[in-house]
Amino acid sequence: MISVAIVGTGNVGFHLNNELAKSDDLNVIQFNSRSQNSLTDFDIAILAVSDDAISEVSKNIESKLVVHTSGTTDINLLKNSHNKGVFYPLQSFSKQKEVDFSHVPLCIEAENKEDLELLETLGKSLKSKTYIVNSEQRKHLHLAAVFANNFSNHMFTLAEEICNKNNVPFEVLKPLIQETTKKIETLSPAKAQTGPAARGDQKTIENHLELLDTYQQELYLKITQSIKKYG
Amino acid sequence: MISVAIVGTGNVGFHLNNELAKSDDLNVIQFNSRSQNSLTDFDIAILAVSDDAISEVSKNIESKLVVHTSGTTDINLLKNSHNKGVFYPLQSFSKQKEVDFSHVPLCIEAENKEDLELLETLGKSLKSKTYIVNSEQRKHLHLAAVFANNFSNHMFTLAEEICNKNNVPFEVLKPLIQETTKKIETLSPAKAQTGPAARGDQKTIENHLELLDTYQQELYLKITQSIKKYG
């Protein structure tokens, strides 16, 4: 029986606790991050707290292994005296929506093989796929996620903005958006790239620029250049 | 029985012919765009030819109604002597892949109610949803589609680029990408926006900038500014 303390009651802590508690092989207890418990009796403490709080909260925890769940925080910012690790679920969570952990990749890091195996065991309980990712890689992965998620979503926002301004329902574009992301399940996005920038269709690019304000034109040109550069 | 001529043997012509030919209410014949036929015996001729060829090809066609299938071309660039219209399928096509037209929104335009109804009938045969969109709206919609499809796909390309450079498999990001587009099925993308730019997390933004080259930094900043502006 593996004893697991989950510290933090935010989105990540909430869903991890919900899911890990289902396993017969784990004994899971959730704590508020402000509780003064040193958690000495636990094999692992998972700190699902805000990035800024990781160092401070970790100082007082005596579990054999302490891991944080942050995409941007170095493993060495953990200040506990025993083993350290990372258990980073790369997905967007909201409390209202149930999480299917089989669609949540887990990026794990630890200082030794035994701890990595323990993190992999937890991953298996969640039915998640685990990836060994060190702190340096994880920083870049988090940046890549901003492009893949936040920035792509903003492209949808700008598309919606254009639709709204011209009284066209945004839903007309939704099947195209779904097709775009379906394509890259099997094809590299660089290879899936289409459109005026990819085929060097300068006439269409100029027609588009005429429809945009100065601010949007700069963004359009910047991305068009980037497509020409990276394919 | 409605008689339909499809002019053009590219992707759009190929798939339209395949699908419309299944209907018992339509009599469909496909022509090469270089054939010299005036197509006088057809209720409708659908020009699935390249944008540049629309005016030239339309000149010689005598069908009661001639429509083009282009997102960027004004209805008035049709040079036939009878009625004009547009039948624009807003989706990305490739010849290798079968098209499910129930996921292909059709943007239609015509000069009178009767012609619009005919285009709606064709839409129904395809099981597509039809939207009445005039030439001015269609131009903007095509621009919006570039943001929603081409530009979002490029964000995936940049994410993949970062992953490759740091020896992290891009597939780690795929569930997040699927979740991003699933979210906007029910939520406006402006409301679904998350990430450092949306929450004004300047520290993370600066950490990210340090990981990018000058060229990527400019793009990152431009999109970050745009998120702050448009939400």
Side-chain angles (χ1 to χ4, degrees):
Chain A
M1 190 71 129
I2 302 167
S3 55
V4 182
I6 294 175
V7 182
T9 52
N11 282 336
V12 174
F14 175 81
H15 288 295
L16 279 178
N17 180 55
N18 263 2
E19 197 64 26
L20 289 173
K22 291 178 188 165
S23 168
D24 294 334
D25 305 326
L26 306 177
N27 181 21
V28 185
I29 304 183
Q30 191 173 23
F31 296 87
N32 189 298
S33 61
R34 281 173 293 279
S35 72
Q36 296 297 311
N37 199 314
S38 67
L39 309 172
T40 41
D41 299 334
F42 289 87
D43 295 311
I44 178 168
I46 302 177
L47 305 194
V49 301
S50 70
D51 295 1
D52 291 339
I54 290 171
S55 285
E56 197 54 35
V57 172
S58 65
K59 273 183 196 161
N60 308 313
I61 299 184
E62 299 287 329
S63 306
K64 281 172 233 161
L65 173 61
V66 177
V67 299
H68 71 63
T69 57
S70 161
T72 50
T73 307
D74 199 281
I75 188 174
N76 290 317
L77 285 176
L78 287 165
K79 297 301 175 196
N80 59 306
S81 47
H82 301 300
N83 292 1
K84 299 165 186 176
V86 180
F87 194 72
Y88 167 47
L90 206 170
Q91 188 50 279
S92 76
F93 293 98
S94 62
K95 256 196 184 166
Q96 303 80 32
K97 215 183 143 199
E98 220 184 311
V99 174
D100 175 359
F101 273 90
S102 71
H103 293 138
V104 180
L106 283 173
C107 303
I108 60 173
E109 181 178 6
E111 296 165 309
N112 62 58
K113 212 181 146 197
E114 204 184 25
D115 290 346
L116 270 182
E117 279 167 5
L118 175 55
L119 296 178
E120 269 164 4
T121 302
L122 291 187
K124 253 182 214 155
S125 293
L126 295 168
K127 297 183 192 66
S128 295
K129 211 163 167 181
T130 52
Y131 296 87
I132 299 173
V133 172
N134 67 34
S135 286
E136 192 57 26
Q137 288 174 315
R138 189 158 30 76
K139 259 194 268 180
H140 286 90
L141 185 58
H142 185 268
L143 170 63
V146 164
F147 278 94
N149 172 10
N150 306 151
F151 287 3
S152 65
N153 184 75
H154 185 58
M155 299 301 121
F156 306 148
T157 299
L158 294 174
E160 186 181 35
E161 171 84 10
I162 294 167
C163 286
N164 289 348
K165 235 188 187 159
N166 294 278
N167 295 314
V168 181
F170 176 59
E171 65 164 55
V172 184
L173 291 172
K174 287 185 179 175
L176 181 65
I177 290 172
Q178 297 305 329
E179 183 66 22
T180 305
T181 53
K182 217 162 91 186
K183 246 190 201 169
I184 64 157
E185 282 296 307
T186 52
L187 201 63
S188 153
K191 290 209 171 115
Q193 188 66 50
T194 57
R199 63 174 186 270
D201 177 353
Q202 205 56 34
K203 196 180 143 198
T204 300
I205 291 171
E206 273 155 31
N207 288 341
H208 283 166
L209 289 173
E210 273 176 32
L211 305 175
L212 296 167
D213 65 30
T214 320
Y215 188 88
Q216 294 167 323
Q217 280 176 350
E218 284 176 26
L219 186 66
Y220 183 100
L221 278 174
K222 199 91 212 146
I223 299 173
T224 293
Q225 281 167 11
S226 186
I227 292 174
K228 287 179 182 172
K229 186 176 157 86
Y230 289 99
Chain B
M1 189 71 128
I2 303 167
S3 56
V4 182
I6 294 174
V7 182
T9 51
N11 282 337
V12 174
F14 173 82
H15 289 296
L16 279 178
N17 180 53
N18 263 2
E19 197 63 27
L20 289 173
K22 290 179 190 167
S23 167
D24 294 335
D25 305 325
L26 306 177
N27 180 21
V28 185
I29 304 184
Q30 190 174 24
F31 296 87
N32 189 299
S33 62
R34 282 173 293 277
S35 72
Q36 296 297 311
N37 199 315
S38 67
L39 309 173
T40 41
D41 300 334
F42 290 87
D43 295 312
I44 177 169
I46 301 176
L47 304 195
V49 301
S50 70
D51 295 2
D52 291 340
I54 289 171
S55 285
E56 197 54 35
V57 172
S58 64
K59 273 182 195 161
N60 308 313
I61 300 185
E62 299 288 329
S63 307
K64 281 172 232 159
L65 173 61
V66 177
V67 299
H68 72 64
T69 57
S70 161
T72 51
T73 307
D74 199 280
I75 188 173
N76 290 318
L77 285 176
L78 286 165
K79 297 301 175 199
N80 58 307
S81 47
H82 301 300
N83 292 1
K84 299 165 187 176
V86 180
F87 193 71
Y88 167 47
L90 205 172
Q91 188 51 279
S92 77
F93 293 98
S94 62
K95 256 195 184 166
Q96 303 80 33
K97 216 182 143 198
E98 219 184 313
V99 174
D100 175 359
F101 274 90
S102 71
H103 293 137
V104 180
L106 283 172
C107 303
I108 59 174
E109 181 178 6
E111 295 164 309
N112 63 57
K113 214 181 145 198
E114 204 184 28
D115 290 345
L116 270 182
E117 279 168 4
L118 175 56
L119 296 178
E120 269 165 3
T121 303
L122 291 188
K124 255 183 211 152
S125 293
L126 294 168
K127 297 183 191 65
S128 296
K129 210 163 168 181
T130 53
Y131 296 87
I132 299 173
V133 172
N134 67 33
S135 285
E136 191 58 24
Q137 289 174 314
R138 191 159 28 79
K139 257 195 268 181
H140 285 90
L141 184 58
H142 185 267
L143 169 63
V146 164
F147 277 95
N149 171 10
N150 305 151
F151 286 3
S152 66
N153 184 74
H154 185 57
M155 298 302 122
F156 306 147
T157 298
L158 294 175
E160 186 181 37
E161 171 86 9
I162 294 167
C163 286
N164 289 347
K165 237 188 186 159
N166 294 279
N167 295 314
V168 181
F170 176 59
E171 65 165 52
V172 184
L173 290 171
K174 287 184 178 175
L176 181 66
I177 290 172
Q178 297 306 328
E179 183 66 22
T180 305
T181 53
K182 218 162 91 188
K183 248 190 199 167
I184 64 158
E185 283 295 307
T186 52
L187 200 64
S188 154
K191 290 210 172 114
Q193 188 67 51
T194 57
R199 63 172 185 270
D201 177 354
Q202 205 55 36
K203 196 179 141 199
T204 299
I205 291 171
E206 274 156 31
N207 289 339
H208 283 167
L209 289 172
E210 274 177 31
L211 305 176
L212 295 167
D213 65 32
T214 320
Y215 188 88
Q216 295 166 323
Q217 280 176 351
E218 283 175 27
L219 186 66
Y220 183 100
L221 277 174
K222 199 91 214 145
I223 300 173
T224 293
Q225 280 167 12
S226 186
I227 291 174
K228 287 178 180 172
K229 185 176 157 87
Y230 289 99

